[in-house]
Amino acid sequence: MLMPTVLLLLTVAAMAGSGVAAKRPPSIVFLLTDDQDVGSAEVAMPFTIEHIVHRGVNATRYFTTTPVCCPSRSAIISARYAHNTLNSDNGTTPGCMRQHKTAFPIHLQAAGIRTGCFGKFLNMGGMKRFCANLGKCTSGHCETPKGWDEFFGMCPDTCYQDCHYAHNGKLITPTEHTGYATSVIGNRSVEFVKKAINDDVSFFLYSATHAPHLPCTPAPWYKNEFQDKVAPRTASWNASGADKHWIVSQQPPLTDKVAKELDDVYRNRLRTLLSVDDITRALYAEIASAGRLNDTYFVWTSDHGFHLGEFRLGAAKRQVYETDIRVPLAVAGPGIAPGSFLSDVSSHIDLGPTFLDIVGAPIPPYFDGKSLLPKITGNSPHEKDSPKRTMHLVEYMAAGKLKTDVVGHVQCAPNNTYIAIRTKTSFGEFSYSEFSDNKYNFDAPYFYELYNLTADPLQLHNRYNDPSTPHTFKQELHEALHSLFKCVGTSGPNSCYQ
């Protein structure tokens, strides 16, 4: 059953566009979810799977830069790694918004693209200057993040029902705008697209929901869905992680009570994603009915992944494993072959350059990522400048104190700070990480993890101390990791593109 607040927008009268693509630059719909793992969309987002994933390209080796909300979103907005924006925490002073002067929407706006951001932009630490209810400004006099013609941001980001929003500097209170947040964000997103189409302009829509982030509160009309679903029981679920760093190695086995709680979380996560799928459906219908499918790209991803019982971890993120760092990315639009795949290593820092490339705007040299457009269409002026990437950096600065998750299992501690590379070689795929006790100093790591993902995709066996692992290989990975940890931009001796 469709939600009442979105039902009016779901005029599925024309689900296929027609006509010749206009000469205007293409438009872009960017759909960003929160804490979404790779597999959940197959269960809860059928329209998104059919009309974006199957209609376009599916990136099978796509990763976040930091597996926690605010730094990963900073990487998306800035197209830069955390060590280049000093945004590796999750919202502490001075917050996650130091990079706003170089954000990709500024360059889209300069290229004549109408830009709109709706929903979760950053965590509370990055939103205080934009939201009057968070104490740094007064309504009507708050800043709006640079680069947005229309900004409708959540204040704070953790709300599901009757929320506060910052709308171009003015605070919108729950008394002025009630409703389920995902539906509100969807409705506002469709209104923005509809107006841009009516004005015959190219647009960039950034539609970012809080779903399926905890507390993963479903819309009332979806609260009884998926009664028979349980969290996936892979070989790593409730498995001992004795060879992993201490947060994992000391996790107690999942009790029956905790397992049931994790299953409840899983079901509610799926339920919240049904509302995200409604947004995709509504936007697709609006664009199709206007005959604009031929010049519109749809892009869907998540800020980072999520674990739910793997290695006895509870319900959270922040870890170095594939569950937390690997995320979905699908792109559908002009020139992209339906049902195609991108197997190259790619990540959030590539999104900004890709968006600029799509509309024909210059890509700044200080971005750490490169456009994916040549790889997914073969049609870009930057094609000759886009070799295969073989390595991706993941970096995380731990929270200042020990943190437990909703089922009481440890999810982070001060010495969970790490840097890692996810690499694809001619003889296999590997994940290598170094853990530090000393903030962001990795001169003397206290622990190492190494996984052969070709032979061990679930990361069950840490091979770092295995006698069969050559010392020379470990040294090569160490040097490659520290080279990326010092990288800046995409050219020169310290290039981030390796």
Side-chain angles (χ1 to χ4, degrees):
M1 187 176 85
L2 293 177
M3 62 192 75
T5 49
V6 170
L7 184 57
L8 292 175
L9 296 173
L10 301 185
T11 51
V12 210
M15 298 305 290
S18 60
V20 179
K23 294 181 180 180
R24 71 177 80 79
S27 294
I28 302 168
V29 170
F30 179 45
L31 300 164
L32 179 63
T33 52
D34 194 349
D35 287 18
Q36 185 174 5
D37 57 286
V38 170
S40 55
E42 292 285 350
V43 182
M45 298 174 65
F47 192 92
T48 303
I49 293 295
E50 181 180 354
H51 291 84
I52 300 183
V53 180
H54 294 169
R55 184 173 158 260
V57 59
N58 181 12
T60 57
R61 291 179 178 86
Y62 185 81
F63 303 94
T64 186
T65 52
T66 305
V68 72
C69 298
C70 207
S72 68
R73 290 164 186 268
S74 291
I76 291 172
I77 292 295
S78 67
R80 302 174 76 194
Y81 280 122
H83 65 265
N84 287 329
T85 62
L86 303 180
N87 282 307
S88 55
D89 59 38
N90 197 35
T92 55
T93 302
C96 299
M97 220 17 214
R98 295 183 185 183
Q99 81 293 341
H100 71 275
K101 293 181 180 179
T102 61
F104 77 78
I106 296 172
H107 302 283
L108 286 173
Q109 208 175 42
I113 308 300
R114 181 179 295 180
T115 58
C117 176
F118 301 86
K120 178 173 179 176
F121 187 57
L122 297 170
N123 291 57
M124 188 184 299
M127 293 298 291
K128 290 182 177 179
R129 70 185 72 178
F130 312 130
C131 301
N133 61 319
L134 301 182
K136 291 289 185 180
C137 58
T138 57
S139 183
H141 301 281
C142 295
E143 293 181 44
T144 294
K146 291 180 174 25
W148 302 109
D149 293 306
E150 185 172 2
F151 180 79
F152 187 81
M154 300 181 73
C155 301
D157 58 286
T158 52
C159 181
Y160 270 100
Q161 182 70 38
D162 299 339
C163 307
H164 289 79
Y165 303 92
H167 188 208
N168 288 356
K170 182 179 183 296
L171 183 68
I172 306 298
T173 67
T175 56
E176 300 171 88
H177 207 318
T178 61
Y180 185 63
T182 307
S183 302
V184 171
I185 293 164
N187 290 344
R188 289 278 186 159
S189 297
V190 175
E191 289 168 9
F192 170 81
V193 166
K194 186 173 184 178
K195 188 174 189 308
I197 289 173
N198 288 340
D199 292 342
D200 197 29
V201 298
S202 299
F203 61 85
F204 175 85
L205 168 69
Y206 185 111
S207 185
T209 66
H210 190 42
H213 193 292
L214 290 166
C216 43
T217 306
W221 45 91
Y222 286 141
K223 66 180 181 180
N224 295 319
E225 300 295 323
F226 302 121
Q227 295 282 7
D228 60 337
K229 297 297 183 183
V230 296
R233 266 55 167 178
T234 64
S236 62
W237 195 87
N238 203 17
S240 169
D243 61 356
K244 296 169 172 54
H245 67 287
W246 76 267
I247 287 180
V248 183
S249 66
Q250 297 186 24
Q251 293 284 346
L254 302 176
T255 64
D256 289 344
K257 178 178 180 293
V258 167
K260 290 177 181 177
E261 291 173 347
L262 293 178
D263 289 338
D264 285 339
V265 170
Y266 179 69
R267 285 186 284 268
N268 280 329
R269 283 169 57 82
L270 296 179
R271 290 161 182 156
T272 63
L273 289 173
L274 289 172
S275 297
V276 177
D277 206 38
D278 284 332
I279 295 179
T280 307
R281 184 183 292 107
L283 289 166
Y284 193 93
E286 189 65 46
I287 293 167
S289 66
R292 290 281 294 266
L293 286 182
N294 288 339
D295 70 344
T296 302
Y297 286 83
F298 290 80
V299 181
W300 159 61
T301 189
S302 173
D303 55 358
H304 49 76
F306 200 73
H307 56 254
L308 203 61
E310 290 85 358
F311 302 118
R312 300 175 178 173
L313 294 162
K317 55 265 184 169
R318 302 175 184 268
Q319 301 303 324
V320 74
Y321 309 111
E322 295 282 287
T323 51
D324 295 22
I325 69 170
R326 191 170 184 168
V327 288
L329 174 71
V331 186
I336 299 177
S340 54
F341 294 90
L342 174 64
S343 61
D344 291 1
V345 174
S346 54
S347 81
H348 283 341
I349 58 172
D350 299 320
L351 290 177
T354 302
F355 296 147
L356 295 180
D357 200 3
I358 285 173
V359 303
I363 299 173
Y366 50 77
F367 281 1
D368 293 335
K370 287 195 174 185
S371 172
L372 300 177
L373 194 63
K375 301 177 187 300
I376 61 180
T377 66
N379 181 24
S380 163
H382 302 282
E383 184 167 8
K384 66 180 186 308
D385 191 37
S386 187
K388 285 188 175 182
R389 178 192 279 129
T390 59
M391 290 184 288
H392 169 63
L393 174 69
V394 180
E395 46 191 330
Y396 175 73
M397 181 184 289
K401 58 183 180 180
L402 188 141
K403 294 173 66 73
T404 56
D405 60 27
V406 293
V407 296
H409 283 230
V410 174
Q411 64 164 307
C412 195
N415 63 349
N416 187 41
T417 294
Y418 60 79
I419 52 176
I421 52 172
R422 177 62 164 76
T423 181
K424 179 185 177 186
T425 72
S426 59
F427 52 89
E429 295 187 54
F430 299 89
S431 170
Y432 171 76
S433 52
E434 299 181 357
F435 293 79
S436 173
D437 271 325
N438 186 18
K439 288 277 186 178
Y440 238 28
N441 186 326
F442 291 90
D443 291 341
Y446 77 90
F447 199 79
Y448 303 83
E449 295 190 21
L450 170 61
Y451 299 96
N452 180 341
L453 296 168
T454 304
D456 179 24
L458 294 178
Q459 298 170 287
L460 298 171
H461 306 292
N462 180 5
R463 298 294 184 185
Y464 187 82
N465 291 316
D466 190 316
S468 67
T469 303
H471 174 76
T472 53
F473 182 54
K474 292 189 288 188
Q475 185 62 28
E476 288 172 3
L477 290 170
H478 169 80
E479 292 173 1
L481 172 60
H482 283 260
S483 175
L484 271 182
F485 187 48
K486 297 173 184 175
C487 78
V488 180
T490 55
S491 61
N494 296 320
S495 170
C496 292
Y497 206 83
Q498 300 182 29

